[in-house]
Amino acid sequence: AHRHSNARKSALLQIALQIPEAAHPYAANARQRAPVHTAAELIFRLVQAIRPRCALVVAPTFAEYEQALNGCSCRVEYHLLKEEQDFVLDDSVLEKIHPHTGIVFLCNPNNPTGQLVDQKLLERILVRCSSCGALLVVDECFRDFLEDCDGNSMKGWVEEFPNLLILRAFTKHFAMAGLRLGYCLCANPPLLER
């Protein structure tokens, strides 16, 4: 089974490295790309690799973050999005990121609300995570459906912040539900090796 897993990982890596830059403009170079079977698989593998003791998740959001965190006995803290604010993330999330936070998951645009996180707030969250030693995972799997899909992506911050990991998927945009190929962008080689 281990040999099969390594063969699949190697095959996925070869596929990702051969996809032209136009198909995945978020990766500056091959060292920043880590292909996986699905973006959801990457969430579970990432959590198992770093095994955070405490995590921050906004709610409502994609259920896989919490499921992966619960699988490694992580204490999950929540930042509740308010209906009266149209489920828009605001500055109050910054107070929830503290030195014990190991990982923060954000979905941008959020699933299921469809709301985008303000670019300046994303930057403040990234800096706060960096100062607290937390990994910021920004799930951009639905970004390709936006009118301006590059508008407030975190791709420009990957090189500068090794505590940033961006999740992407080909499945949704290219209507490849049967193939299910995802990848991440991250400039932290030790994390990618795990």
mmCIF file of all heavy atoms in Angstrom, residues 89-122:
data_model
loop_
_atom_site.group_PDB
_atom_site.id
_atom_site.type_symbol
_atom_site.label_atom_id
_atom_site.label_comp_id
_atom_site.label_asym_id
_atom_site.label_seq_id
_atom_site.Cartn_x
_atom_site.Cartn_y
_atom_site.Cartn_z
ATOM 1 N N LEU A 89 -16.492 38.266 7.119
ATOM 2 C CA LEU A 89 -15.434 38.217 8.126
ATOM 3 C C LEU A 89 -14.946 39.635 8.393
ATOM 4 O O LEU A 89 -14.719 40.401 7.464
ATOM 5 C CB LEU A 89 -14.283 37.340 7.629
ATOM 6 C CG LEU A 89 -13.174 37.023 8.628
ATOM 7 C CD1 LEU A 89 -13.699 36.177 9.787
ATOM 8 C CD2 LEU A 89 -12.033 36.288 7.932
ATOM 9 N N ASP A 90 -14.781 39.969 9.692
ATOM 10 C CA ASP A 90 -14.315 41.306 10.046
ATOM 11 C C ASP A 90 -13.092 41.233 10.956
ATOM 12 O O ASP A 90 -12.608 40.151 11.283
ATOM 13 C CB ASP A 90 -15.434 42.134 10.678
ATOM 14 C CG ASP A 90 -15.950 41.549 11.984
ATOM 15 O OD1 ASP A 90 -15.216 40.789 12.659
ATOM 16 O OD2 ASP A 90 -17.093 41.849 12.362
ATOM 17 N N ASP A 91 -12.596 42.405 11.369
ATOM 18 C CA ASP A 91 -11.380 42.512 12.177
ATOM 19 C C ASP A 91 -11.433 41.754 13.497
ATOM 20 O O ASP A 91 -10.386 41.453 14.063
ATOM 21 C CB ASP A 91 -11.072 43.981 12.483
ATOM 22 C CG ASP A 91 -10.498 44.708 11.294
ATOM 23 O OD1 ASP A 91 -10.104 44.044 10.318
ATOM 24 O OD2 ASP A 91 -10.439 45.948 11.338
ATOM 25 N N SER A 92 -12.617 41.458 13.998
ATOM 26 C CA SER A 92 -12.710 40.766 15.287
ATOM 27 C C SER A 92 -12.044 39.390 15.253
ATOM 28 O O SER A 92 -11.694 38.844 16.298
ATOM 29 C CB SER A 92 -14.167 40.664 15.751
ATOM 30 O OG SER A 92 -14.923 39.881 14.844
ATOM 31 N N VAL A 93 -11.841 38.831 14.063
ATOM 32 C CA VAL A 93 -11.165 37.530 13.957
ATOM 33 C C VAL A 93 -9.731 37.613 14.467
ATOM 34 O O VAL A 93 -9.181 36.628 14.974
ATOM 35 C CB VAL A 93 -11.211 36.992 12.506
ATOM 36 C CG1 VAL A 93 -10.312 37.798 11.587
ATOM 37 C CG2 VAL A 93 -10.830 35.519 12.457
ATOM 38 N N LEU A 94 -9.113 38.779 14.356
ATOM 39 C CA LEU A 94 -7.722 38.941 14.779
ATOM 40 C C LEU A 94 -7.525 38.632 16.257
ATOM 41 O O LEU A 94 -6.483 38.114 16.665
ATOM 42 C CB LEU A 94 -7.226 40.349 14.456
ATOM 43 C CG LEU A 94 -7.182 40.695 12.964
ATOM 44 C CD1 LEU A 94 -6.969 42.186 12.764
ATOM 45 C CD2 LEU A 94 -6.116 39.884 12.261
ATOM 46 N N GLU A 95 -8.530 38.926 17.069
ATOM 47 C CA GLU A 95 -8.464 38.664 18.514
ATOM 48 C C GLU A 95 -8.444 37.174 18.830
ATOM 49 O O GLU A 95 -8.002 36.765 19.894
ATOM 50 C CB GLU A 95 -9.655 39.314 19.220
ATOM 51 C CG GLU A 95 -9.718 40.813 19.054
ATOM 52 C CD GLU A 95 -11.053 41.394 19.492
ATOM 53 O OE1 GLU A 95 -11.848 40.686 20.142
ATOM 54 O OE2 GLU A 95 -11.302 42.573 19.171
ATOM 55 N N LYS A 96 -8.937 36.368 17.904
ATOM 56 C CA LYS A 96 -9.006 34.912 18.119
ATOM 57 C C LYS A 96 -7.705 34.198 17.776
ATOM 58 O O LYS A 96 -7.552 33.023 18.062
ATOM 59 C CB LYS A 96 -10.138 34.319 17.280
ATOM 60 C CG LYS A 96 -11.499 34.876 17.547
ATOM 61 C CD LYS A 96 -12.145 34.187 18.713
ATOM 62 C CE LYS A 96 -13.530 34.704 18.949
ATOM 63 N NZ LYS A 96 -14.546 33.702 18.842
ATOM 64 N N ILE A 97 -6.779 34.892 17.125
ATOM 65 C CA ILE A 97 -5.493 34.294 16.757
ATOM 66 C C ILE A 97 -4.497 34.635 17.855
ATOM 67 O O ILE A 97 -4.201 35.804 18.081
ATOM 68 C CB ILE A 97 -5.005 34.817 15.392
ATOM 69 C CG1 ILE A 97 -6.064 34.545 14.313
ATOM 70 C CG2 ILE A 97 -3.671 34.166 15.020
ATOM 71 C CD1 ILE A 97 -5.817 35.284 13.007
ATOM 72 N N HIS A 98 -4.024 33.613 18.558
ATOM 73 C CA HIS A 98 -3.153 33.823 19.720
ATOM 74 C C HIS A 98 -1.953 32.876 19.637
ATOM 75 O O HIS A 98 -1.897 32.008 18.758
ATOM 76 C CB HIS A 98 -3.949 33.622 21.013
ATOM 77 C CG HIS A 98 -4.711 32.330 21.056
ATOM 78 N ND1 HIS A 98 -4.110 31.119 21.306
ATOM 79 C CD2 HIS A 98 -6.032 32.079 20.848
ATOM 80 C CE1 HIS A 98 -5.020 30.166 21.280
ATOM 81 N NE2 HIS A 98 -6.199 30.710 20.993
ATOM 82 N N PRO A 99 -0.971 33.037 20.529
ATOM 83 C CA PRO A 99 0.245 32.209 20.450
ATOM 84 C C PRO A 99 0.018 30.697 20.531
ATOM 85 O O PRO A 99 0.880 29.928 20.114
ATOM 86 C CB PRO A 99 1.076 32.701 21.639
ATOM 87 C CG PRO A 99 0.642 34.121 21.821
ATOM 88 C CD PRO A 99 -0.834 34.116 21.513
ATOM 89 N N HIS A 100 -1.127 30.262 21.022
ATOM 90 C CA HIS A 100 -1.413 28.816 21.073
ATOM 91 C C HIS A 100 -2.062 28.311 19.785
ATOM 92 O O HIS A 100 -2.204 27.103 19.602
ATOM 93 C CB HIS A 100 -2.296 28.481 22.271
ATOM 94 C CG HIS A 100 -1.636 28.775 23.579
ATOM 95 N ND1 HIS A 100 -0.558 28.060 24.060
ATOM 96 C CD2 HIS A 100 -1.884 29.737 24.497
ATOM 97 C CE1 HIS A 100 -0.177 28.554 25.217
ATOM 98 N NE2 HIS A 100 -0.956 29.585 25.507
ATOM 99 N N THR A 101 -2.459 29.223 18.915
ATOM 100 C CA THR A 101 -3.085 28.834 17.648
ATOM 101 C C THR A 101 -2.018 28.240 16.733
ATOM 102 O O THR A 101 -1.032 28.894 16.424
ATOM 103 C CB THR A 101 -3.740 30.051 16.963
ATOM 104 O OG1 THR A 101 -4.636 30.692 17.867
ATOM 105 C CG2 THR A 101 -4.490 29.633 15.717
ATOM 106 N N GLY A 102 -2.237 27.021 16.302
ATOM 107 C CA GLY A 102 -1.278 26.362 15.424
ATOM 108 C C GLY A 102 -1.607 26.513 13.953
ATOM 109 O O GLY A 102 -0.726 26.522 13.102
ATOM 110 N N ILE A 103 -2.898 26.643 13.657
ATOM 111 C CA ILE A 103 -3.336 26.718 12.263
ATOM 112 C C ILE A 103 -4.659 27.481 12.197
ATOM 113 O O ILE A 103 -5.490 27.367 13.099
ATOM 114 C CB ILE A 103 -3.462 25.296 11.652
ATOM 115 C CG1 ILE A 103 -3.656 25.337 10.145
ATOM 116 C CG2 ILE A 103 -4.562 24.507 12.328
ATOM 117 C CD1 ILE A 103 -3.512 23.969 9.462
ATOM 118 N N VAL A 104 -4.812 28.264 11.135
ATOM 119 C CA VAL A 104 -6.049 29.005 10.872
ATOM 120 C C VAL A 104 -6.502 28.636 9.469
ATOM 121 O O VAL A 104 -5.717 28.707 8.520
ATOM 122 C CB VAL A 104 -5.824 30.536 10.968
ATOM 123 C CG1 VAL A 104 -7.086 31.295 10.577
ATOM 124 C CG2 VAL A 104 -5.360 30.927 12.370
ATOM 125 N N PHE A 105 -7.762 28.225 9.340
ATOM 126 C CA PHE A 105 -8.333 27.904 8.033
ATOM 127 C C PHE A 105 -9.291 29.010 7.614
ATOM 128 O O PHE A 105 -10.195 29.373 8.364
ATOM 129 C CB PHE A 105 -9.124 26.586 8.088
ATOM 130 C CG PHE A 105 -8.270 25.359 8.008
ATOM 131 C CD1 PHE A 105 -7.949 24.657 9.153
ATOM 132 C CD2 PHE A 105 -7.811 24.893 6.785
ATOM 133 C CE1 PHE A 105 -7.169 23.504 9.090
ATOM 134 C CE2 PHE A 105 -7.031 23.742 6.710
ATOM 135 C CZ PHE A 105 -6.713 23.055 7.866
ATOM 136 N N LEU A 106 -9.077 29.537 6.411
ATOM 137 C CA LEU A 106 -10.001 30.493 5.802
ATOM 138 C C LEU A 106 -10.340 30.012 4.408
ATOM 139 O O LEU A 106 -9.448 29.574 3.665
ATOM 140 C CB LEU A 106 -9.376 31.886 5.696
ATOM 141 C CG LEU A 106 -9.125 32.651 6.974
ATOM 142 C CD1 LEU A 106 -8.459 33.991 6.652
ATOM 143 C CD2 LEU A 106 -10.412 32.879 7.743
ATOM 144 N N CYS A 107 -11.582 30.116 4.042
ATOM 145 C CA CYS A 107 -12.047 29.759 2.710
ATOM 146 C C CYS A 107 -12.407 31.070 2.005
ATOM 147 O O CYS A 107 -13.251 31.817 2.507
ATOM 148 C CB CYS A 107 -13.265 28.847 2.844
ATOM 149 S SG CYS A 107 -13.758 28.011 1.340
ATOM 150 N N ASN A 108 -11.748 31.363 0.873
ATOM 151 C CA ASN A 108 -11.945 32.649 0.217
ATOM 152 C C ASN A 108 -12.068 32.483 -1.289
ATOM 153 O O ASN A 108 -11.052 32.262 -1.945
ATOM 154 C CB ASN A 108 -10.780 33.580 0.562
ATOM 155 C CG ASN A 108 -11.039 35.007 0.169
ATOM 156 O OD1 ASN A 108 -12.161 35.480 0.245
ATOM 157 N ND2 ASN A 108 -10.007 35.697 -0.266
ATOM 158 N N PRO A 109 -13.276 32.557 -1.860
ATOM 159 C CA PRO A 109 -14.533 32.892 -1.205
ATOM 160 C C PRO A 109 -15.002 31.753 -0.309
ATOM 161 O O PRO A 109 -14.707 30.586 -0.557
ATOM 162 C CB PRO A 109 -15.504 33.127 -2.358
ATOM 163 C CG PRO A 109 -14.930 32.392 -3.521
ATOM 164 C CD PRO A 109 -13.444 32.377 -3.318
ATOM 165 N N ASN A 110 -15.720 32.161 0.720
ATOM 166 C CA ASN A 110 -16.145 31.188 1.719
ATOM 167 C C ASN A 110 -17.181 30.226 1.140
ATOM 168 O O ASN A 110 -17.982 30.589 0.295
ATOM 169 C CB ASN A 110 -16.727 31.906 2.948
ATOM 170 C CG ASN A 110 -16.895 30.976 4.130
ATOM 171 O OD1 ASN A 110 -16.292 29.905 4.190
ATOM 172 N ND2 ASN A 110 -17.700 31.378 5.085
ATOM 173 N N ASN A 111 -17.117 29.013 1.596
ATOM 174 C CA ASN A 111 -18.088 27.985 1.254
ATOM 175 C C ASN A 111 -18.795 27.635 2.561
ATOM 176 O O ASN A 111 -18.116 27.218 3.495
ATOM 177 C CB ASN A 111 -17.352 26.767 0.686
ATOM 178 C CG ASN A 111 -18.245 25.586 0.415
ATOM 179 O OD1 ASN A 111 -19.452 25.701 0.468
ATOM 180 N ND2 ASN A 111 -17.641 24.451 0.130
ATOM 181 N N PRO A 112 -20.050 27.901 2.742
ATOM 182 C CA PRO A 112 -21.109 28.038 1.746
ATOM 183 C C PRO A 112 -21.601 29.467 1.499
ATOM 184 O O PRO A 112 -22.505 29.662 0.694
ATOM 185 C CB PRO A 112 -22.236 27.235 2.372
ATOM 186 C CG PRO A 112 -22.112 27.528 3.834
ATOM 187 C CD PRO A 112 -20.611 27.646 4.073
ATOM 188 N N THR A 113 -21.069 30.477 2.165
ATOM 189 C CA THR A 113 -21.649 31.822 2.066
ATOM 190 C C THR A 113 -21.311 32.550 0.774
ATOM 191 O O THR A 113 -22.036 33.447 0.361
ATOM 192 C CB THR A 113 -21.192 32.705 3.247
ATOM 193 O OG1 THR A 113 -19.797 32.981 3.123
ATOM 194 C CG2 THR A 113 -21.492 32.046 4.583
ATOM 195 N N GLY A 114 -20.178 32.215 0.146
ATOM 196 C CA GLY A 114 -19.759 32.893 -1.071
ATOM 197 C C GLY A 114 -19.100 34.242 -0.820
ATOM 198 O O GLY A 114 -18.706 34.920 -1.762
ATOM 199 N N GLN A 115 -18.962 34.624 0.443
ATOM 200 C CA GLN A 115 -18.391 35.928 0.770
ATOM 201 C C GLN A 115 -16.875 35.926 0.618
ATOM 202 O O GLN A 115 -16.201 34.968 0.992
ATOM 203 C CB GLN A 115 -18.747 36.334 2.202
ATOM 204 C CG GLN A 115 -20.214 36.579 2.417
ATOM 205 C CD GLN A 115 -20.699 37.850 1.722
ATOM 206 O OE1 GLN A 115 -19.980 38.529 1.006
ATOM 207 N NE2 GLN A 115 -21.960 38.171 1.949
ATOM 208 N N LEU A 116 -16.350 37.040 0.097
ATOM 209 C CA LEU A 116 -14.905 37.239 -0.002
ATOM 210 C C LEU A 116 -14.406 37.945 1.257
ATOM 211 O O LEU A 116 -15.114 38.755 1.836
ATOM 212 C CB LEU A 116 -14.559 38.105 -1.211
ATOM 213 C CG LEU A 116 -14.598 37.428 -2.557
ATOM 214 C CD1 LEU A 116 -14.500 38.457 -3.665
ATOM 215 C CD2 LEU A 116 -13.491 36.415 -2.679
ATOM 216 N N VAL A 117 -13.170 37.637 1.625
ATOM 217 C CA VAL A 117 -12.522 38.328 2.730
ATOM 218 C C VAL A 117 -11.811 39.544 2.142
ATOM 219 O O VAL A 117 -11.132 39.440 1.122
ATOM 220 C CB VAL A 117 -11.503 37.406 3.449
ATOM 221 C CG1 VAL A 117 -10.842 38.146 4.603
ATOM 222 C CG2 VAL A 117 -12.188 36.137 3.933
ATOM 223 N N ASP A 118 -11.975 40.684 2.789
ATOM 224 C CA ASP A 118 -11.314 41.908 2.348
ATOM 225 C C ASP A 118 -9.802 41.699 2.277
ATOM 226 O O ASP A 118 -9.205 41.106 3.178
ATOM 227 C CB ASP A 118 -11.663 43.040 3.330
ATOM 228 C CG ASP A 118 -10.946 44.324 2.988
ATOM 229 O OD1 ASP A 118 -11.364 44.992 2.032
ATOM 230 O OD2 ASP A 118 -9.949 44.640 3.679
ATOM 231 N N GLN A 119 -9.174 42.195 1.214
ATOM 232 C CA GLN A 119 -7.737 42.001 0.998
ATOM 233 C C GLN A 119 -6.896 42.533 2.159
ATOM 234 O O GLN A 119 -5.960 41.880 2.605
ATOM 235 C CB GLN A 119 -7.300 42.675 -0.313
ATOM 236 C CG GLN A 119 -5.821 42.512 -0.613
ATOM 237 C CD GLN A 119 -5.418 41.091 -0.945
ATOM 238 O OE1 GLN A 119 -6.169 40.368 -1.571
ATOM 239 N NE2 GLN A 119 -4.242 40.678 -0.522
ATOM 240 N N LYS A 120 -7.207 43.706 2.644
ATOM 241 C CA LYS A 120 -6.433 44.283 3.760
ATOM 242 C C LYS A 120 -6.584 43.439 5.013
ATOM 243 O O LYS A 120 -5.625 43.263 5.767
ATOM 244 C CB LYS A 120 -6.852 45.733 4.031
ATOM 245 C CG LYS A 120 -6.537 46.665 2.894
ATOM 246 C CD LYS A 120 -5.039 46.795 2.709
ATOM 247 C CE LYS A 120 -4.709 47.771 1.604
ATOM 248 N NZ LYS A 120 -3.313 47.747 1.230
ATOM 249 N N LEU A 121 -7.764 42.888 5.235
ATOM 250 C CA LEU A 121 -7.968 42.009 6.392
ATOM 251 C C LEU A 121 -7.173 40.718 6.212
ATOM 252 O O LEU A 121 -6.552 40.240 7.166
ATOM 253 C CB LEU A 121 -9.453 41.710 6.601
ATOM 254 C CG LEU A 121 -9.791 40.765 7.752
ATOM 255 C CD1 LEU A 121 -9.218 41.267 9.081
ATOM 256 C CD2 LEU A 121 -11.298 40.563 7.851
ATOM 257 N N LEU A 122 -7.165 40.162 5.014
ATOM 258 C CA LEU A 122 -6.358 38.964 4.763
ATOM 259 C C LEU A 122 -4.897 39.220 5.109
ATOM 260 O O LEU A 122 -4.238 38.383 5.732
ATOM 261 C CB LEU A 122 -6.456 38.548 3.295
ATOM 262 C CG LEU A 122 -7.699 37.789 2.862
ATOM 263 C CD1 LEU A 122 -7.747 37.691 1.349
ATOM 264 C CD2 LEU A 122 -7.746 36.420 3.498
#
